[in-house]
Amino acid sequence: MKSDVEELMPRLLPVETCDTGEDFNLNEPPRNPQEYLRQVQLEASLCPDVVVAKIDPKKLRKKQSVNVSLTGCEAAPQGFSPSLKWQRQQVSNFSEIRQSISKHRQHWSGHALDDNVLMPKQDAEEQWKKFCLGENVYLNSPPIDPGTEDQGLDYVKVGFPPFLSIVSRLNQATISAVLEYLINWFEEREFVPQLGRWLYALLACLEKPLLPEAHSLIRQLARRSSEVRANLESQEDERLSPLNLMICLVASQENLSFDNHIYIYIYI
């Protein structure tokens, strides 16, 4: 083992090999540079090659629930925060979805797309906004009366849902780019269902460990979600639950990997 380490880490200073038989007192200061380096050698030789920490998993389970605050997030108004049970359930569901996507990514990416699904290039920001949100939302068009339209869905107008056959084709660079496009759009617009579906899907497709840019993006998402939530006038607002969900998932991703089946829950 020691010879392997020496081959991987060649010596940078011409120091003679320490003779363990020499009488060195590690508690006394070295008298010269050569003696100092020899004392360092001796201390290193006394250390084990491998150290294993003794951790009691039972103690960790008792301390999993903590309060976590995301910098810049506004506190939830009275009665607008979800229960701890709800948070745990959402994090558990999200973890299962992430693992399923990771496991079956190759399978879903092999599914053929419909002819009308034309995925934009990675740097086509405006095209991705239209693709995910639909032209109606992107152009801020008034809602269409269902009675005046055919029964079939026009995905160009209402936005393409984040089908697994679509998101499984996105590499990590594209996932981060589209996430940035949608979060930037959300900074200036209101929350809509199409946005929530895509944000959830993209968060589930992010691979661990998160890059610094991804951390910054999801913090931005949590701050904006808390800002919109703080301005809601009623607990019955249909946007409340998805906004709480965004904040909950971001806080969980910021603090612990879902892949380890250990979660940190937040009171938001």
Side-chain angles (χ1 to χ4, degrees):
M1 174 64 74
K2 293 186 181 301
S3 61
D4 293 340
V5 173
E6 291 176 357
E7 291 179 2
L8 292 173
M9 302 177 63
R11 297 182 181 182
L12 298 180
L13 297 174
V15 182
E16 296 179 2
T17 303
C18 177
D19 183 1
T20 55
E22 294 185 32
D23 186 16
F24 281 123
N25 189 343
L26 298 179
N27 295 323
E28 294 183 0
R31 292 167 292 185
N32 52 60
Q34 192 73 8
E35 189 170 305
Y36 166 76
L37 293 175
R38 289 191 177 185
Q39 287 187 5
V40 171
Q41 281 185 325
L42 179 58
E43 289 180 345
S45 68
L46 298 177
C47 295
D49 294 329
V50 178
V51 178
V52 179
K54 295 181 179 180
I55 300 176
D56 186 357
K58 295 181 180 179
K59 293 183 179 180
L60 291 178
R61 295 193 194 102
K62 296 179 181 179
K63 300 180 179 180
Q64 285 183 21
S65 297
V66 298
N67 292 333
V68 178
S69 61
L70 290 172
T71 304
C73 282
E74 298 188 27
Q78 184 67 31
F80 282 66
S81 59
S83 67
L84 182 59
K85 179 180 179 181
W86 182 90
Q87 295 175 56
R88 287 175 173 167
Q89 186 61 53
Q90 300 308 317
V91 173
S92 177
N93 293 343
F94 185 71
S95 174
E96 293 178 0
I97 291 174
R98 287 190 71 253
Q99 293 175 21
S100 178
I101 291 176
S102 178
K103 182 178 180 180
H104 302 290
R105 180 183 295 274
Q106 186 173 358
H107 167 76
W108 285 109
S109 62
H111 282 227
L113 297 175
D114 293 338
D115 295 337
N116 64 331
V117 182
L118 300 177
M119 296 175 61
K121 295 182 179 179
Q122 178 179 321
D123 58 352
E125 179 173 354
E126 301 307 314
Q127 293 301 318
W128 271 112
K129 292 176 183 176
K130 291 181 182 179
F131 182 86
C132 299
L133 305 175
E135 291 184 352
N136 292 341
V137 172
Y138 179 80
L139 299 174
N140 198 25
S141 302
I144 299 175
D145 184 359
T148 63
E149 292 291 313
D150 294 333
Q151 295 299 318
L153 283 176
D154 185 349
Y155 286 129
V156 173
K157 292 187 177 297
V158 301
F160 287 90
F163 295 126
L164 287 173
S165 56
I166 293 178
V167 296
S168 295
R169 283 175 162 78
L170 307 180
N171 57 34
Q172 289 299 298
T174 304
I175 290 171
S176 296
V178 178
L179 190 61
E180 180 178 5
Y181 301 153
L182 295 181
I183 292 175
N184 288 340
W185 184 90
F186 184 33
E187 286 287 346
E188 300 176 355
R189 308 289 185 90
E190 289 299 319
F191 189 90
V192 294
Q194 296 95 317
L195 175 66
R197 287 192 287 267
W198 269 96
L199 290 175
Y200 189 96
L202 294 172
L203 289 176
C205 291
L206 281 176
E207 295 179 355
K208 299 282 187 163
L210 297 182
L211 296 175
E213 295 80 3
H215 278 290
S216 178
L217 279 174
I218 64 177
R219 288 176 190 146
Q220 181 182 349
L221 171 60
R223 287 193 294 268
R224 175 56 179 164
S225 297
S226 70
E227 177 185 345
V228 175
R229 180 184 62 181
N231 292 318
L232 297 180
E233 297 181 354
S234 169
Q235 298 178 24
E236 303 302 321
D237 195 307
E238 61 182 10
R239 294 172 293 174
L240 178 58
S241 182
L243 290 171
N244 277 333
L245 179 59
M246 292 297 108
I247 300 170
C248 179
L249 296 182
V250 169
S252 299
Q253 292 211 60
E254 281 288 281
N255 289 277
L256 217 51
S257 170
F258 292 114
D259 298 329
N260 293 331
H261 299 283
I262 302 176
Y263 311 108
I264 289 184
Y265 305 111
I266 59 171
Y267 297 94
I268 53 179

